[in-house]
Amino acid sequence: MLNIKSLSKSFDKGKSFALKEVSFKLEKGDICAVVGESGSGKTTLVRLIAGLERPDHGSIELEGTEVSSIKKLVSPEKRKIGLVFQEYALFPHLTLLENVLYGISKQKNKKQRAKEMLELVGLTAMENRYPHQLSGGQQQRVALARALAPNPSLLILDEPFSNLDAMLRMQLRSQVFEIIKKTGVTAIFVTHDTQDALSVADEILILQHGEVIQKDAAANLYIKPNSVYVASLFGNTIQLNKELQSAFECPLNANCCHAIRNESLTINSECEYVTYANVLKKTFLGDNIQLLLKLDNGEQLTVLTKERNIADKIKIGFNSKDVLEFTS
Amino acid sequence: MKKLMFGMIALIMFNSCKNGSNDENSQAEAQNQEVNVYTHRHYEADQELFKKFEEQTGIKVNVINSNADELIQKMSMEGEQSPADVLITVDAGRLTRAKDQGLLQPIESETLESTIPSHLKDAENYWFGITKRARIIAYAKDRVNPEELTTYEDLATDKWEDKILIRSSSNIYNQSLLASIIVNNGEDGAKEWTRDMVENMARSPKGSDRDQVKAVVAGEGDLAILNSYYVGQMLNSSDPEEVETAKKVGLHFPNQDGRGTHINVSGAGVAKYAPNKDNAIRFIEFLVSEEAQEVFANLNYEYPVNPNVEPAPLLQEWGEFKEDTLNLSKLGENNKKAVVIFDEAGWK
Amino acid sequence: MMKQAGSSSNIFSIKYRLKRLKRDSNRWSIFTLAIILFIALPIISIGVKLFAGPGETWGHIVDNLLLDYIGNSLFLVFVCSFLVLLFGVSSAWLVARFEFPLRKQMEWLLILPLAIPGYIVAYAYAGVFDYGGSMDLIFRWLGWDFIRIDIMNKAGLAFVLSISLFPYVYVSSRAFFLNQANNLLEASTILGVGEFKSFFKLMLPLARPAIIAGLILVLMEVLNDYGAAQYYGVNTFTTGIFRAWFSLEEPETAVYLSALLIVIVFALILFEKWQRRNIKVSSARSNNTYIHRKSSSKFSQFLILLVVLIPVVLGFFIPVLQLIYWATLTFEKVFDLDFLMLSLQSFGIAILTAMITVLFATFLIYFSKWSFLGFIKNIARMGILGYAIPGAVIAIGIMIPTLAFDKWLIGALDYLFSIKTGLLINGTLVALVYAYCVRFLAVAFNPIESTSLKVSNTIPDSSKMLGVGNLKTFFRIEFPLIKTGILSALILVFIDVLKELPLTLILKPFHINTLAVKAYEYASDEMIMEAAIPSLFIIFTAALPVIFLNKLLIKK
């Protein structure tokens, strides 16, 4: 339903690229998360799809029609895309109901539809209030209702939860995606938080410096990251460099990079590769304890563990099946 | 409130359109009903006369008031389409310039030719003087012996060092005065005169003619050079202080033993493309009629050009004087030269 | 990787760029260009004359006058900058930061000097210090010897211009102090930094962009002044332009001088733009709160009031009292029914012009926003250059293209339909309003632009994503949000048009007159006292909206 081919955008006439040769496809009903650090081109990608920015190269197809190419551009208001911004962007001088009605003013049963949408996000009682009278989470729900009201073929959420605090964020995240799944709309969800992405997306697309690093189903990405960068996005990883390899006495393919997830490390149990280490420092982090270790060959290493009783000298190790191997 | 506002705007727009269309129609059908006047003069006397003219002839007088320079620029740009019928300026120099730029036309009028002395009009009848003013000297009665005052040329001698008050050289009356000196004494003589005058100034030139008189009374200098009719106006000012001030100076008409006091005219000419030429001639004839000249003389303290009309009683008190009969067209011809000489001498 | 590098350089080839240019030019790009062309046409018509070379007196001007023009203009720029900053910033800080008696009244009184045309202030002050003037009378009444102060010189001119123009700086710096300063002030108080030190070390450097934005407007007005400089006998670029044009009879030379002036002003604008780069950094944190006022001892409150009163008294009360005194002397002579009609006309023209100018400014800002072409946005700013050009020069610039159009139209009508007409644009309200528009676009542009920048882009973007086009989005979403900016712009243009003189003189139609022209007619005939009543009418007509403007500006 969405087909993007070698999309490029530069804001400085080709000196550097905000987005470079990005291509991917989405099927109807998919929920795809776009993950990347700030400056990775996420927002540019979103604005290009929405038509708010014009690409320098490449094409975008939406439901089988080309909406953006080098020759042609369909203006944003005709693309039938719903967009929810990080800062909600509600119209401050309109009530909630008027905000939701805004995009469907030409429809027949607009009042009814708007009320349905407000009900969906659970804000029926506040329909006559103004945005500034609402909390951040409530505002974001209105923004969602407003975006969904015209029945868009594609819904884009640009960092929708990053202005909210942690508790509210988890709660709202599940609410929002429940609503999205209920409506069955195809959605792109932009975030810098992998937790967000993993918890709701069917597919995840990873952007770095304007290029797609990897796109895969959420579970696959975790198991088979294609680079140290991707691996480290989804949890603590320890890169197995030459020194560490020699400490654990595990000779690995010298042409590849290797890493191991923190959680695959075992303490004081039998594994294929083991070594001994002195605990230099213990830092209590609540659910975890951070250990600064000095290995026998003098290498230092930081690991996290749930184990509470740690002696001064420990044995750590891992199994070969847990080693992640990258070709680059 | 809003309705009122829109109403007003609509009214003004309508008015201006109506006027616009009036101008158009005037060319086609209503030829006898109006005369369009571009004038540098904006005195009450003029407004009164325009009303009188309207009453007597039924010809409507439409006025645009601005600097003569800008009016000339406007006429030259408008070209054949210019709605102007009559151009009135406050000096002969600008009229000569308008003539040179081909903006005026010669007219034949028995009345004008017989009424106006020949040195006060263009030799080829492109323009006619309507009022006269003399450039005279006002002196501090308590400090200056009037016997010592003789000529413009004398003002440049060491005798008057740091004593003279005069306004900026951007003023047209000063430009005309210097132009007359160029004609009479030659360019080199004029340059010398200007240089010495700058030496003699009590302060750097600023303010209006009236301000020069005030400065004399305040003791900044002893002599002021100004136009005769400003003294008349000061003596009849709404401000009692100004009347008092004006009473404290004596007046001298220079060069009585030689060529006569420098005079200038306020004059009028008919525009080359005047849509209402006949009305224009009638209008100028009216302005030099005895009736109109009385008004100029008595309301504005200008000297009439019509020899049959006496100046205002106040001006008569100052006595008769001999005027420079240099043809005023010469002033226009030498105006630019005068400005250059001023600049070179550092006369601000 | 190699393939990508190859293609990325390829997509910025000329061919690709042209393709994109074709794709990205929408009707808004074309509209923006059309408006800019419309506004720039008179300026271009003048500019074209530059290629004809200067007249023969150019050498004469360079030899005898240019140094004086440059020297005096620079003197005015420096002294006015100093005085304007002194009056404007200090009063803005005191009014924003401290509680003192009559503070609310002072807030709007400090803007009122804007309502008086600069040349009128100049006449009034000359009247105050003149022999037989008000000071003289007062001293005589007190039985003292009159010490005559000569104000009619360079320094006096700088004083008069500063005292009538400082509100521009007051308004812009006060806005900063009210809305942006609070967090920083609290921080510096916690750190134990004294009031004086935190003002000089912290507030001044931070408020600099706001202050300079106001200062640039002041300097443009200073460089543009004709009436006051002429009367006080100070030769500046603008008096020089008039001298070259009219006394030396060389329009070409005048154009050269204006071009030089425009270069100076352009440099000022560039400077302002350059120093504004920092503003993005400093205002990025927008969660500032409205300033908390400090109250101090009765005595220091009284002192503050005195200090704030100085510019109000100098810039408003003294000239107005002088004018009122003159008005009582000449009331019977000047005031009649015709005069009332003339005031109404003046008022109507100012409102009409304000609305049209604001409309154009809004079009320009939003059309260029909706255009996707980067250079269009830069070009749009060119529209504000008209403010830098003397009114008389703009008037001539307007006449060149409109007359050409008129003549073409007359020819065409005659040829096609045998209809004989006169000039259809020149000498009508159309040409006059067009000229005002060119001159005052900058005045409308700034407040609208700055309020529109406060509306986050995501708001109109959201509207577009909901299927609503640009124009509808503007009317339904943006217009309600930038209303205050539009109102401020309307008021400012209204006041400026009321005060405008040289342009009005040249372009006004028959039968239509304005208060400023009336005041000038009297003043140019040395009947300055008679000019008092029209001047007072200008002041009071402008003062009411100024007070209202103040209400708009202090609202958050």
Side-chain angles (χ1 to χ4, degrees), chain B residues 43 62 169 206 211 220, chain C residues 148 150 152 231 243 511 525:
Chain B
Y43 310 120
N62 299 319
S169 66
K206 58 189 157 194
D211 291 327
E220 276 199 58
Chain C
R148 198 160 162 248
D150 184 18
M152 292 174 71
Y231 187 61
R243 190 180 187 85
H511 310 294
D525 193 33

Side-chain angles (χ1 to χ4, degrees), chain B residues 5 25-26 29 40 63 71 82 96 121 129 151 164 169 212 235 258 263 293 316 347:
Chain B
M5 224 162 72
N25 294 341
S26 67
E29 45 183 37
H40 188 156
V63 182
L71 293 173
S82 175
T96 316
K121 65 177 189 63
T151 59
I164 293 177
S169 66
Q212 312 307 322
L235 285 168
I263 55 151
Q293 293 278 304
Q316 290 179 38
W347 185 323

Side-chain angles (χ1 to χ4, degrees), chain B residues 205-225:
Chain B
K206 58 189 157 194
S208 59
D209 274 5
R210 289 185 190 210
D211 291 327
Q212 312 307 322
V213 177
K214 289 181 187 169
V216 165
V217 179
E220 276 199 58
D222 290 347
L223 305 179
I225 298 173

